[in-house]
Structures are given as structure tokens and as C-alpha cells.
């Protein structure tokens, strides 16, 4: 099986790529919902969320969007930006992953791992000694375990209130670089 490295490139994304990223997110919602795991992002297509579309557009406008592509097809997305307000400030210069999503058709082929390796290189190039990410920590904590397998250590736990729904449980993870 391919690890995804010989047929994907990573390139900067821009505002023209936002619809492709939203398609990836919608695919992830369908995949999670089909597996009875709607807690992470709900069941509605994320492309219908003006707030999220604006957030992804802002990441692109700030130069923080990076895409894994196969030919012309976007098969993964990495977003770098500011940590959300519910995350404690970092004790040192950091690079913060605000988005990581891959096309579920290529699951298990190393796209997420490759995008995180790219994030590490960006962090080192920027002079940051710390790479952080936060993720959904509900259900069976599978996403937390994924990041642990990628070399991250869990730090801060948090919950985000959601009107009319259960609070969203989250986990910050970090990785020392260098």
C-alpha cells in the first residue's frame, strides 16, 4: 500500500481552494456520521456553515492554508493559525495547527502524517520550538490517540459550550521540536 508520499505534493492554498477544503470537511462529516460518530462535527454539511467557511477563508487569506494535492485534486488540508480563545497561551514560540483533514478515500495512506511533517518543517523554519493542535476528545478519544501516534503529548483539556447541544470536549496536544 502506498504511504501517499510518491503521488502527493503539498502546495500553498488560497481563497480559490476554500470550496475544495469545505468538500473535504463535508466528506469527513459523512464518514463520521456513517460510523455513528456525529459528536465531533454534527451531521450537517460543514459547507453550510458561514462561520466555518469564513474561518477557512481567513486561514487562506493569512497564508496559513496548505494543501495535499494529487494532480489537480485536493486530497488533504492543513491550516496554521492562532490558537482558539479557549486554549491557554503557549509558554514559548509555537506553530498552531487549526485544521487537519484528509479525503477519506485515501485514509491510511499517510496524508495526515505527511501534512503534520510539513507543519513541523514550517515551525522549525519560523523559529518555533513547539507545534500544538487541539482536537475532539469525545467518544472513544480516537482522534487524541491519532495525534499521540504522531508524537504529540496531551496537555490541556477543555470544553466548548454549544447552545442546545452537549458541550464539545476537546484536547490540546503539543510536540517539542528540535
Amino acid at each position: 500500500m502506498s504511504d501517499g508520499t510518491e503521488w502527493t505534493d503539498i502546495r500553498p492554498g488560497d481563497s480559490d481552494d476554500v470550496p475544495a477544503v469545505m468538500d473535504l470537511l463535508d466528506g469527513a462529516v459523512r464518514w463520521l456520521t456513517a460510523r455513528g460518530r456525529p459528536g465531533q462535527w454534527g451531521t450537517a454539511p460543514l459547507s453550510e456553515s458561514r462561520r466555518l467557511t469564513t474561518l477557512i477563508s481567513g486561514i487562506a487569506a493569512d497564508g496559513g492554508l496548505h494543501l495535499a494535492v494529487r494532480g489537480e485534486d485536493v486530497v488533504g488540508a492543513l491550516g496554521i493559525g492562532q490558537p482558539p480563545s479557549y486554549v491557554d497561551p503557549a509558554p514559548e514560540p509555537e506553530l498552531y495547527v487549526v485544521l487537519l483533514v484528509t479525503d477519506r478515500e485515501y485514509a491510511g495512506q499517510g496524508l495526515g502524517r505527511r501534512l503534520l511533517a510539513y507543519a513541523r518543517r514550517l515551525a522549525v523554519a519560523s523559529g518555533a520550538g513547539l507545534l500544538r493542535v487541539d482536537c475532539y476528545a469525545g467518544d472513544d478519544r480516537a482522534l487524541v490517540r491519532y495525534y499521540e501516534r504522531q508524537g504529540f503529548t496531551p496537555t490541556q483539556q477543555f470544553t466548548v459550550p454549544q447552545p442546545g447541544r452537549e458541550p464539545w470536549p476537546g484536547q490540546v496536544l503539543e510536540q517539542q521540536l528540535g
Side-chain angles (χ1 to χ4, degrees), residues 20-21 24 65-68 74-79 99-103 115:
V21 174
L24 289 174
L65 184 61
H66 306 274
L67 305 174
V74 174
V75 296
L78 168 73
L99 171 70
L100 181 67
V101 63
T102 61
D103 186 327
L115 286 164

Side-chain angles (χ1 to χ4, degrees), residues 138-161:
D139 297 326
D140 60 4
R141 295 181 58 88
L143 196 50
V144 173
R145 286 195 310 278
Y146 169 79
Y147 283 111
E148 288 175 325
R149 287 191 307 272
Q150 303 309 311
F152 287 82
T153 301
T155 58
Q156 174 193 352
Q157 291 184 324
F158 61 89
T159 57
V160 178

Side-chain angles (χ1 to χ4, degrees), residues 3 6 13 15 24 35 41 52-53 69 84 99 104 112 152 155:
D3 72 357
E6 59 274 349
S15 60
L24 289 174
R35 281 151 186 77
W41 287 331
L52 188 57
T53 301
V69 294
L99 171 70
R104 301 314 308 159
F152 287 82
T155 58

Side-chain angles (χ1 to χ4, degrees), residues 2-51:
S2 165
D3 72 357
T5 58
E6 59 274 349
W7 52 265
T8 56
D9 292 312
I10 298 176
R11 68 165 174 81
D14 60 30
S15 60
D16 291 339
D17 296 307
V18 172
V21 174
M22 300 310 295
D23 285 346
L24 289 174
L25 290 166
D26 286 348
V29 167
R30 286 189 302 273
W31 184 84
L32 288 164
T33 300
R35 281 151 186 77
R37 302 177 66 136
Q40 183 171 340
W41 287 331
T43 58
L46 294 177
S47 58
E48 295 175 0
S49 167
R50 181 179 301 275
R51 183 193 67 76

Side-chain angles (χ1 to χ4, degrees), residues 75-147:
V75 296
L78 168 73
I80 302 299
Q82 294 299 311
S85 60
Y86 48 79
V87 171
D88 293 338
E92 63 184 280
E94 73 172 328
L95 192 75
Y96 201 93
V97 175
V98 295
L99 171 70
L100 181 67
V101 63
T102 61
D103 186 327
R104 301 314 308 159
E105 182 178 333
Y106 301 103
Q109 295 186 27
L111 290 174
R113 182 178 65 245
R114 185 156 186 234
L115 286 164
L116 288 171
Y118 186 79
R120 288 181 196 94
R121 290 191 300 274
L122 290 173
V124 169
S126 75
L130 183 66
L131 182 64
R132 290 199 307 165
V133 64
D134 67 83
C135 69
Y136 179 66
D139 297 326
D140 60 4
R141 295 181 58 88
L143 196 50
V144 173
R145 286 195 310 278
Y146 169 79
Y147 283 111

